[in-house]
Amino acid sequence: PSLRKDAFVGAIQYWDAQVDDARYVMTVLRTAATYGARIASRTQCVGFLREGERVTGVKIRDLEAGTTAEVRAKQVVNATGVWTDDIQELVGGRGQIHVRSSKGIHLVVPKDRIHSSTGIILRTEKSVLFVIPWGRHWIIGTTDTAWDLDKAHPAASRADIDYVLDHVNAVLNTPLTHDDVEGVYAGLRPLLMGETEETSQLSREHVVAHPVPGLVLVAGGKYTTYRVMAKDAIDAVAHGLDDKVAESCSDNIALVGGEGFQAMWN
């Protein structure tokens, strides 16, 4: 009902899943821990341990205690998203794979500002605009712009906010204003460089490389393909180990809390 009558000529309705991303990350970590992974949050890689050319571990700093430690390993995986190039520089040179940070922002507005029983996806001249129901709010986004400042603190500019508002207002009966925006958040996508200057055209695919002995790099990719990324990275790790490693079964592993899913699916 909130859409302008002249704003569309047709639509397709479909059903999709929704995920609480912060809770999901915690669930993945908890699942890994049940399989023997040691989880060390709020730690920063500050250097690599080397024996000749070979990487034999990492030096880490505990950002809460301020202490440092060394972690030794037969194989190390660099899976650091937009920080991929920074970590590569610690081991000497960025190598052939470069990652570019693309900023996306979302606006949070109250649910009563848009009258709809479904989310809405609209085409824009660059990509798509999402209007997603989220509890008592709508989340509206997103943008796709290069970001060269502090990777830990991506921020929405006035131009970003205006861009999203202008595009959603093009189809709404009652336009949203800056006063309707209750929150704004921004994130960075790790895009593989090299295809074109426009970040929206850069690859969303992932790539796995072996830049130096003992170090595996995985970069690019999307949230929704993380298991395939992990399998490809760990297959490369297994290749670098002398011992035989069983075939990945990640696609059959239920996350903590998902026990019984396969039986229900059947």
Side-chain angles (χ1 to χ4, degrees):
S2 284
L3 291 180
R4 280 173 30 197
K5 294 289 186 288
D6 63 344
F8 64 96
V9 294
I12 298 169
Q13 186 171 33
Y14 70 97
W15 282 259
D16 205 344
Q18 195 165 66
V19 61
D20 180 327
D21 51 359
R23 182 179 177 187
Y24 198 68
V25 169
M26 291 297 296
T27 304
V28 170
L29 291 171
R30 288 177 56 207
T31 306
T34 67
Y35 284 91
R38 297 286 296 274
I39 310 299
S41 58
R42 294 182 176 84
T43 54
Q44 180 181 11
C45 174
V46 294
F48 285 91
L49 304 178
R50 306 287 287 268
E51 288 180 8
E53 282 294 300
R54 186 171 190 82
V55 168
T56 57
V58 292
K59 300 173 186 173
I60 60 170
R61 178 183 294 125
D62 184 324
L63 297 178
E64 291 193 327
T67 56
T68 58
E70 294 184 348
V71 182
R72 299 195 171 274
K74 293 178 181 177
Q75 291 279 314
V76 174
V77 178
N78 176 6
T80 53
V82 294
W83 284 274
T84 299
D85 288 6
D86 304 68
I87 298 298
Q88 283 305 111
E89 287 177 7
L90 292 178
V91 82
R94 296 189 345 170
Q96 295 179 324
I97 296 168
H98 307 306
V99 172
R100 185 168 176 177
S101 300
S102 165
K103 182 182 66 172
I105 76 142
H106 288 85
L107 309 181
V108 181
V109 303
K111 197 68 178 285
D112 62 6
R113 296 301 190 272
I114 301 173
H115 300 293
S116 177
S117 58
T118 72
I120 306 166
I121 297 179
L122 309 164
R123 288 187 65 176
T124 70
E125 69 277 7
K126 291 182 180 177
S127 55
V128 291
L129 184 78
F130 295 94
V131 184
I132 302 169
W134 190 262
R136 295 191 299 273
H137 295 86
W138 295 99
I139 294 176
I140 307 173
T142 184
T143 57
D144 203 337
T145 54
W147 179 259
D148 299 316
L149 303 175
D150 184 359
K151 296 184 183 72
H153 300 98
S157 66
R158 173 113 187 168
D160 292 330
I161 297 170
D162 287 342
Y163 173 87
V164 174
L165 286 178
D166 288 347
H167 279 79
V168 74
N169 284 340
V171 299
L172 293 181
N173 272 330
T174 306
L176 298 173
T177 70
H178 283 264
D179 291 337
D180 294 319
V181 178
E182 290 193 332
V184 182
Y185 63 94
L188 299 176
R189 307 175 191 87
L191 302 185
L192 300 178
M193 285 180 64
E195 294 183 13
T196 166
E197 282 304 300
E198 287 298 317
T199 58
S200 61
Q201 300 301 316
L202 288 172
S203 176
R204 258 65 165 179
E205 299 297 317
H206 67 275
V207 67
V208 175
H210 234 131
V212 294
L215 179 65
V216 170
L217 178 154
V218 57
K222 297 177 68 173
Y223 208 152
T224 45
T225 61
Y226 84 98
R227 290 212 189 199
V228 177
M229 294 175 67
K231 179 187 185 320
D232 290 349
I234 299 306
D235 283 351
V237 167
H239 185 72
L241 296 173
D242 294 334
D243 306 326
K244 287 194 173 180
V245 178
E247 188 72 23
S248 169
C249 57
S250 172
D251 55 334
N252 294 316
I253 298 295
L255 297 182
V256 167
E259 296 82 358
F261 170 78
Q262 198 61 52
M264 190 181 296
W265 178 268
N266 291 337

mmCIF file of all heavy atoms in Angstrom, residues 231-257:
data_model
loop_
_atom_site.group_PDB
_atom_site.id
_atom_site.type_symbol
_atom_site.label_atom_id
_atom_site.label_comp_id
_atom_site.label_asym_id
_atom_site.label_seq_id
_atom_site.Cartn_x
_atom_site.Cartn_y
_atom_site.Cartn_z
ATOM 1 N N LYS A 231 35.889 -24.931 2.717
ATOM 2 C CA LYS A 231 36.314 -26.226 2.158
ATOM 3 C C LYS A 231 37.506 -26.039 1.219
ATOM 4 O O LYS A 231 38.499 -26.777 1.304
ATOM 5 C CB LYS A 231 35.158 -26.880 1.414
ATOM 6 C CG LYS A 231 35.530 -28.225 0.776
ATOM 7 C CD LYS A 231 34.408 -28.757 -0.091
ATOM 8 C CE LYS A 231 34.698 -30.131 -0.648
ATOM 9 N NZ LYS A 231 36.067 -30.393 -1.097
ATOM 10 N N ASP A 232 37.418 -25.058 0.338
ATOM 11 C CA ASP A 232 38.515 -24.831 -0.615
ATOM 12 C C ASP A 232 39.807 -24.470 0.110
ATOM 13 O O ASP A 232 40.894 -24.927 -0.268
ATOM 14 C CB ASP A 232 38.137 -23.727 -1.601
ATOM 15 C CG ASP A 232 37.049 -24.167 -2.572
ATOM 16 O OD1 ASP A 232 36.749 -25.372 -2.620
ATOM 17 O OD2 ASP A 232 36.498 -23.291 -3.276
ATOM 18 N N ALA A 233 39.689 -23.640 1.162
ATOM 19 C CA ALA A 233 40.883 -23.229 1.913
ATOM 20 C C ALA A 233 41.496 -24.411 2.659
ATOM 21 O O ALA A 233 42.715 -24.619 2.634
ATOM 22 C CB ALA A 233 40.534 -22.104 2.887
ATOM 23 N N ILE A 234 40.652 -25.194 3.327
ATOM 24 C CA ILE A 234 41.161 -26.318 4.116
ATOM 25 C C ILE A 234 41.665 -27.440 3.217
ATOM 26 O O ILE A 234 42.602 -28.166 3.567
ATOM 27 C CB ILE A 234 40.090 -26.816 5.111
ATOM 28 C CG1 ILE A 234 39.721 -25.690 6.086
ATOM 29 C CG2 ILE A 234 40.576 -28.035 5.880
ATOM 30 C CD1 ILE A 234 40.917 -25.082 6.818
ATOM 31 N N ASP A 235 41.073 -27.592 2.022
ATOM 32 C CA ASP A 235 41.635 -28.556 1.055
ATOM 33 C C ASP A 235 43.058 -28.162 0.686
ATOM 34 O O ASP A 235 43.937 -29.025 0.527
ATOM 35 C CB ASP A 235 40.764 -28.609 -0.207
ATOM 36 C CG ASP A 235 39.491 -29.420 -0.003
ATOM 37 O OD1 ASP A 235 39.380 -30.076 1.051
ATOM 38 O OD2 ASP A 235 38.611 -29.375 -0.886
ATOM 39 N N ALA A 236 43.299 -26.840 0.556
ATOM 40 C CA ALA A 236 44.658 -26.370 0.262
ATOM 41 C C ALA A 236 45.589 -26.626 1.439
ATOM 42 O O ALA A 236 46.762 -26.981 1.261
ATOM 43 C CB ALA A 236 44.634 -24.878 -0.074
ATOM 44 N N VAL A 237 45.075 -26.477 2.657
ATOM 45 C CA VAL A 237 45.859 -26.790 3.861
ATOM 46 C C VAL A 237 46.218 -28.269 3.872
ATOM 47 O O VAL A 237 47.369 -28.653 4.117
ATOM 48 C CB VAL A 237 45.063 -26.418 5.139
ATOM 49 C CG1 VAL A 237 45.716 -27.024 6.372
ATOM 50 C CG2 VAL A 237 44.957 -24.909 5.273
ATOM 51 N N ALA A 238 45.214 -29.116 3.598
ATOM 52 C CA ALA A 238 45.437 -30.562 3.609
ATOM 53 C C ALA A 238 46.499 -30.951 2.590
ATOM 54 O O ALA A 238 47.331 -31.837 2.835
ATOM 55 C CB ALA A 238 44.122 -31.296 3.320
ATOM 56 N N HIS A 239 46.495 -30.275 1.446
ATOM 57 C CA HIS A 239 47.483 -30.549 0.403
ATOM 58 C C HIS A 239 48.895 -30.228 0.894
ATOM 59 O O HIS A 239 49.858 -30.876 0.479
ATOM 60 C CB HIS A 239 47.154 -29.724 -0.845
ATOM 61 C CG HIS A 239 48.046 -30.019 -2.004
ATOM 62 N ND1 HIS A 239 47.975 -31.204 -2.721
ATOM 63 C CD2 HIS A 239 49.050 -29.297 -2.576
ATOM 64 C CE1 HIS A 239 48.878 -31.184 -3.675
ATOM 65 N NE2 HIS A 239 49.552 -30.052 -3.615
ATOM 66 N N GLY A 240 48.991 -29.220 1.802
ATOM 67 C CA GLY A 240 50.298 -28.822 2.301
ATOM 68 C C GLY A 240 50.796 -29.659 3.467
ATOM 69 O O GLY A 240 51.936 -29.502 3.914
ATOM 70 N N LEU A 241 49.964 -30.548 3.974
ATOM 71 C CA LEU A 241 50.356 -31.424 5.088
ATOM 72 C C LEU A 241 50.763 -32.795 4.559
ATOM 73 O O LEU A 241 50.206 -33.294 3.580
ATOM 74 C CB LEU A 241 49.184 -31.589 6.068
ATOM 75 C CG LEU A 241 48.730 -30.314 6.789
ATOM 76 C CD1 LEU A 241 47.457 -30.595 7.587
ATOM 77 C CD2 LEU A 241 49.815 -29.802 7.717
ATOM 78 N N ASP A 242 51.712 -33.401 5.227
ATOM 79 C CA ASP A 242 52.157 -34.732 4.797
ATOM 80 C C ASP A 242 51.134 -35.805 5.155
ATOM 81 O O ASP A 242 50.956 -36.779 4.434
ATOM 82 C CB ASP A 242 53.506 -35.079 5.441
ATOM 83 C CG ASP A 242 54.617 -34.162 4.934
ATOM 84 O OD1 ASP A 242 54.487 -33.654 3.810
ATOM 85 O OD2 ASP A 242 55.596 -33.955 5.676
ATOM 86 N N ASP A 243 50.470 -35.597 6.310
ATOM 87 C CA ASP A 243 49.499 -36.598 6.759
ATOM 88 C C ASP A 243 48.279 -36.593 5.836
ATOM 89 O O ASP A 243 47.940 -35.583 5.238
ATOM 90 C CB ASP A 243 49.035 -36.284 8.187
ATOM 91 C CG ASP A 243 50.195 -36.134 9.147
ATOM 92 O OD1 ASP A 243 51.203 -36.840 8.975
ATOM 93 O OD2 ASP A 243 50.086 -35.304 10.061
ATOM 94 N N LYS A 244 47.603 -37.703 5.758
ATOM 95 C CA LYS A 244 46.380 -37.757 4.979
ATOM 96 C C LYS A 244 45.243 -37.145 5.796
ATOM 97 O O LYS A 244 45.063 -37.463 6.963
ATOM 98 C CB LYS A 244 46.055 -39.210 4.609
ATOM 99 C CG LYS A 244 46.993 -39.772 3.538
ATOM 100 C CD LYS A 244 46.451 -41.059 2.962
ATOM 101 C CE LYS A 244 47.298 -41.513 1.776
ATOM 102 N NZ LYS A 244 46.800 -42.769 1.186
ATOM 103 N N VAL A 245 44.510 -36.266 5.155
ATOM 104 C CA VAL A 245 43.394 -35.597 5.816
ATOM 105 C C VAL A 245 42.109 -36.055 5.148
ATOM 106 O O VAL A 245 42.026 -36.100 3.917
ATOM 107 C CB VAL A 245 43.529 -34.061 5.713
ATOM 108 C CG1 VAL A 245 42.350 -33.376 6.361
ATOM 109 C CG2 VAL A 245 44.837 -33.610 6.353
ATOM 110 N N ALA A 246 41.110 -36.392 5.951
ATOM 111 C CA ALA A 246 39.839 -36.876 5.395
ATOM 112 C C ALA A 246 39.179 -35.796 4.540
ATOM 113 O O ALA A 246 39.404 -34.602 4.729
ATOM 114 C CB ALA A 246 38.910 -37.288 6.529
ATOM 115 N N GLU A 247 38.367 -36.231 3.610
ATOM 116 C CA GLU A 247 37.622 -35.314 2.746
ATOM 117 C C GLU A 247 36.717 -34.412 3.602
ATOM 118 O O GLU A 247 36.170 -34.841 4.611
ATOM 119 C CB GLU A 247 36.775 -36.116 1.760
ATOM 120 C CG GLU A 247 36.084 -35.297 0.680
ATOM 121 C CD GLU A 247 37.041 -34.752 -0.365
ATOM 122 O OE1 GLU A 247 38.145 -35.323 -0.526
ATOM 123 O OE2 GLU A 247 36.687 -33.750 -1.014
ATOM 124 N N SER A 248 36.576 -33.160 3.185
ATOM 125 C CA SER A 248 35.726 -32.224 3.921
ATOM 126 C C SER A 248 34.283 -32.726 3.972
ATOM 127 O O SER A 248 33.740 -33.210 2.977
ATOM 128 C CB SER A 248 35.752 -30.841 3.263
ATOM 129 O OG SER A 248 34.750 -30.017 3.801
ATOM 130 N N CYS A 249 33.657 -32.631 5.155
ATOM 131 C CA CYS A 249 32.238 -32.987 5.293
ATOM 132 C C CYS A 249 31.446 -31.792 5.806
ATOM 133 O O CYS A 249 30.380 -31.931 6.400
ATOM 134 C CB CYS A 249 32.066 -34.202 6.204
ATOM 135 S SG CYS A 249 32.772 -33.989 7.857
ATOM 136 N N SER A 250 31.989 -30.591 5.561
ATOM 137 C CA SER A 250 31.350 -29.374 6.066
ATOM 138 C C SER A 250 29.897 -29.249 5.623
ATOM 139 O O SER A 250 29.042 -28.778 6.370
ATOM 140 C CB SER A 250 32.139 -28.136 5.588
ATOM 141 O OG SER A 250 31.449 -26.948 5.899
ATOM 142 N N ASP A 251 29.602 -29.697 4.385
ATOM 143 C CA ASP A 251 28.245 -29.514 3.872
ATOM 144 C C ASP A 251 27.220 -30.396 4.579
ATOM 145 O O ASP A 251 26.010 -30.205 4.404
ATOM 146 C CB ASP A 251 28.213 -29.768 2.357
ATOM 147 C CG ASP A 251 28.765 -31.137 1.981
ATOM 148 O OD1 ASP A 251 29.590 -31.672 2.746
ATOM 149 O OD2 ASP A 251 28.377 -31.656 0.921
ATOM 150 N N ASN A 252 27.703 -31.346 5.397
ATOM 151 C CA ASN A 252 26.783 -32.217 6.133
ATOM 152 C C ASN A 252 26.759 -31.918 7.625
ATOM 153 O O ASN A 252 26.062 -32.609 8.376
ATOM 154 C CB ASN A 252 27.171 -33.688 5.934
ATOM 155 C CG ASN A 252 26.977 -34.133 4.492
ATOM 156 O OD1 ASN A 252 25.962 -33.816 3.893
ATOM 157 N ND2 ASN A 252 27.957 -34.834 3.947
ATOM 158 N N ILE A 253 27.524 -30.911 8.069
ATOM 159 C CA ILE A 253 27.620 -30.622 9.494
ATOM 160 C C ILE A 253 26.565 -29.586 9.895
ATOM 161 O O ILE A 253 26.511 -28.485 9.345
ATOM 162 C CB ILE A 253 29.027 -30.086 9.854
ATOM 163 C CG1 ILE A 253 30.094 -31.125 9.549
ATOM 164 C CG2 ILE A 253 29.083 -29.640 11.317
ATOM 165 C CD1 ILE A 253 29.999 -32.368 10.399
ATOM 166 N N ALA A 254 25.732 -29.971 10.855
ATOM 167 C CA ALA A 254 24.756 -29.009 11.379
ATOM 168 C C ALA A 254 25.443 -28.104 12.398
ATOM 169 O O ALA A 254 26.312 -28.551 13.154
ATOM 170 C CB ALA A 254 23.593 -29.741 12.033
ATOM 171 N N LEU A 255 25.089 -26.841 12.416
ATOM 172 C CA LEU A 255 25.610 -25.937 13.435
ATOM 173 C C LEU A 255 24.986 -26.268 14.784
ATOM 174 O O LEU A 255 23.933 -26.913 14.856
ATOM 175 C CB LEU A 255 25.302 -24.483 13.070
ATOM 176 C CG LEU A 255 25.948 -23.956 11.785
ATOM 177 C CD1 LEU A 255 25.582 -22.496 11.580
ATOM 178 C CD2 LEU A 255 27.459 -24.114 11.832
ATOM 179 N N VAL A 256 25.642 -25.822 15.849
ATOM 180 C CA VAL A 256 25.095 -25.997 17.196
ATOM 181 C C VAL A 256 23.664 -25.449 17.219
ATOM 182 O O VAL A 256 23.410 -24.335 16.749
ATOM 183 C CB VAL A 256 25.967 -25.244 18.229
ATOM 184 C CG1 VAL A 256 25.241 -25.144 19.556
ATOM 185 C CG2 VAL A 256 27.304 -25.944 18.410
ATOM 186 N N GLY A 257 22.740 -26.259 17.726
ATOM 187 C CA GLY A 257 21.340 -25.836 17.741
ATOM 188 C C GLY A 257 20.563 -26.363 16.554
ATOM 189 O O GLY A 257 19.335 -26.287 16.530
#
